[in-house]
Amino acid sequence: MKKRIFSMTAAFMLLFLTAVSPIASMTASAASGFELYTTYPGLSVEAGETESFTMYVENNTGSNVDATLSIVTIPDDWTYYFSGDSTTVSQIHVQDGEEADFSFYVMVPEDTTEGTYTIEIQATTDTGVSDTQTLSLTVEEIEYGQSSLDIDYPEQEGSSDSSFSFDATITNNSSEDQTFSLSSQTDAGWQVSFTPSSESTQVASIEVAAGSSEGVTITVTPPANVEAGTFTIPISASSTADTLSEDISITILGTYSLTLSTSDGLLSFDAHVNKESDVTLTVTNNSNVDLENINLTSSAPSDWTVSFETSTIETLEAGATVEITMHVTPSDSAMTGDYVTTITASCSEASDSAEFRVSVKTQTIWGIVAVLLIIALLLGVSIIFDKYGRR
């Protein structure tokens, strides 16, 4: 009976010591006034990454200490270093009653499998007092998705003489850097170029780092003779691992062009003071669509009168030409010489102007008087000759 009681007592004491010993070790450092800790001892990391912890050493031992930093346990092939003020360190000095910090960096190998790993760091003073901190790192596998080509506002519209600009983003969601070749499929005459964002040099390919994105500007210039309509242009970004494609759409509203001239092509004519002169104008629609409400206006010298047979062309079909008579009357005060009169034909889509050189001719009463005087003088001479010439 005594042996049984002794055995039970011994077992109880062993169990008690086993339970109490961790608590005793946990409180030992606190009792000594020296503690090593970090605010976030557990983190999730990815294989191939470098993770950092901010570590703190608190000293209440009653004297200043120099603590040596070391690793008690760490997974195989994992590398690390201690850093203070951007310098690799192995010791840290802590004033009594104060706290100091340092950084712990650990590099997780790329081939590390998923799971939770522990690292135990120890700080030991020059007087033999020490404390440890266990770090827990959960390694999670990187999930890679499909790379992508995204185009902002892929549908645009404008005239045939416009250049269209599209902002695109290429995202590389793979685990390796990739070089993407850029290309397009267009009809003859269309021009497509690719320029990296914030640059001015056109490129045929672009490198995108793993897990990152690069911006590209796509510029499209239609051919000069393109007809109105909607055009779809496939855009591709291809690498050895991915082939990305998106379509852009361009709607050509029309080609707009007007030409203002004269029936004989001359842009000069003669005119007389206070007398109306007529000039035949021609207005040609060089567009590939009909133009409406074409207005004729003039800019002439002060007090001149310029009018048109009709000042508004309601509709001018594509490729058609219309003749309009212009009436020009120089003012009474116009002197002999050359003047400029500008005529403009315009609508909401297009316009054209022509400068006319107007040579003004003047007639004065003194010219007529001079002619009459010459005639009278000739008659007088003739009479005198007839009267006295016979004697």
Side-chain angles (χ1 to χ4, degrees), residues 9 29 36 39 63 139 151 169 178 185 259 313 332 346 350:
T9 303
S29 61
L36 170 66
T39 305
S63 62
V139 178
I151 300 177
T169 302
Q178 294 195 69
Q185 297 178 11
T259 300
I313 305 171
D332 293 337
S346 63

Side-chain angles (χ1 to χ4, degrees), residues 193-266:
S193 62
F194 303 91
T195 307
S197 299
S198 303
E199 295 186 19
S200 58
T201 303
Q202 297 180 7
V203 299
S205 63
I206 187 169
E207 185 173 346
V208 184
S212 64
S213 301
E214 292 291 342
V216 177
T217 299
I218 306 170
T219 303
V220 181
T221 303
N225 59 349
V226 65
E227 296 182 356
T230 299
F231 301 85
T232 299
I233 302 175
I235 302 297
S236 298
S238 302
S239 70
T240 56
D242 293 294
T243 298
L244 314 175
S245 62
E246 284 291 336
D247 291 342
I248 58 177
S249 176
I250 295 178
T251 299
I252 302 296
L253 302 178
T255 301
Y256 305 109
S257 177
L258 273 177
T259 300
L260 175 65
S261 188
T262 61
S263 57
D264 56 8
L266 296 177

Side-chain angles (χ1 to χ4, degrees), residues 120-390:
E120 191 173 6
I121 303 175
Q122 185 176 64
T124 304
T125 69
D126 48 2
T127 59
V129 178
S130 65
D131 191 22
T132 59
Q133 171 67 62
T134 300
L135 306 177
S136 176
L137 287 82
T138 301
V139 178
E140 298 177 344
E141 185 177 351
I142 303 174
E143 295 184 2
Y144 296 105
Q146 176 67 38
S147 298
S148 63
L149 169 62
D150 299 307
I151 300 177
D152 297 338
Y153 307 106
E155 299 180 2
Q156 297 184 23
E157 62 180 28
S159 62
S160 62
D161 57 355
S162 302
S163 290
F164 300 86
S165 181
F166 300 83
D167 292 327
T169 302
I170 301 174
T171 302
N172 176 14
N173 285 322
S174 70
S175 59
E176 297 180 353
D177 298 349
Q178 294 195 69
T179 298
F180 290 88
S181 297
L182 307 173
S183 62
S184 64
Q185 297 178 11
T186 60
D187 295 331
W190 289 78
Q191 297 180 5
V192 180
S193 62
F194 303 91
T195 307
S197 299
S198 303
E199 295 186 19
S200 58
T201 303
Q202 297 180 7
V203 299
S205 63
I206 187 169
E207 185 173 346
V208 184
S212 64
S213 301
E214 292 291 342
V216 177
T217 299
I218 306 170
T219 303
V220 181
T221 303
N225 59 349
V226 65
E227 296 182 356
T230 299
F231 301 85
T232 299
I233 302 175
I235 302 297
S236 298
S238 302
S239 70
T240 56
D242 293 294
T243 298
L244 314 175
S245 62
E246 284 291 336
D247 291 342
I248 58 177
S249 176
I250 295 178
T251 299
I252 302 296
L253 302 178
T255 301
Y256 305 109
S257 177
L258 273 177
T259 300
L260 175 65
S261 188
T262 61
S263 57
D264 56 8
L266 296 177
L267 299 180
S268 62
F269 60 91
D270 295 337
H272 298 276
V273 172
N274 205 28
K275 184 178 180 180
E276 185 177 271
S277 297
D278 293 341
V279 178
T280 302
L281 302 176
T282 59
V283 180
T284 303
N285 179 7
N286 298 314
S287 311
N288 57 10
V289 294
D290 297 348
L291 297 178
E292 297 181 351
N293 298 321
I294 302 172
N295 296 312
L296 294 173
T297 57
S298 64
S299 176
S302 178
D303 298 329
W304 284 39
T305 300
V306 178
S307 61
F308 305 96
E309 179 185 2
T310 176
S311 60
T312 301
I313 305 171
E314 293 185 359
T315 301
L316 185 58
E317 296 179 352
T321 299
V322 65
E323 293 186 346
I324 297 176
T325 301
M326 175 178 64
H327 310 290
V328 180
T329 304
S331 67
D332 293 337
S333 60
M335 305 293 291
T336 300
D338 291 339
Y339 297 82
V340 174
T341 297
T342 303
I343 308 301
T344 301
S346 63
C347 61
S348 58
E349 295 85 7
S351 66
D352 190 31
S353 298
E355 288 189 353
F356 288 85
R357 183 176 62 83
V358 184
S359 296
V360 175
K361 311 295 182 180
T362 59
Q363 295 178 346
T364 64
I365 190 61
W366 297 111
I368 298 175
V369 171
V371 172
L372 293 176
L373 289 175
I374 292 173
I375 294 174
L377 180 61
L378 292 175
L379 289 174
V381 171
S382 177
I383 292 173
I384 293 173
F385 180 79
D386 288 342
K387 182 177 181 179
Y388 296 103
R390 297 175 182 176

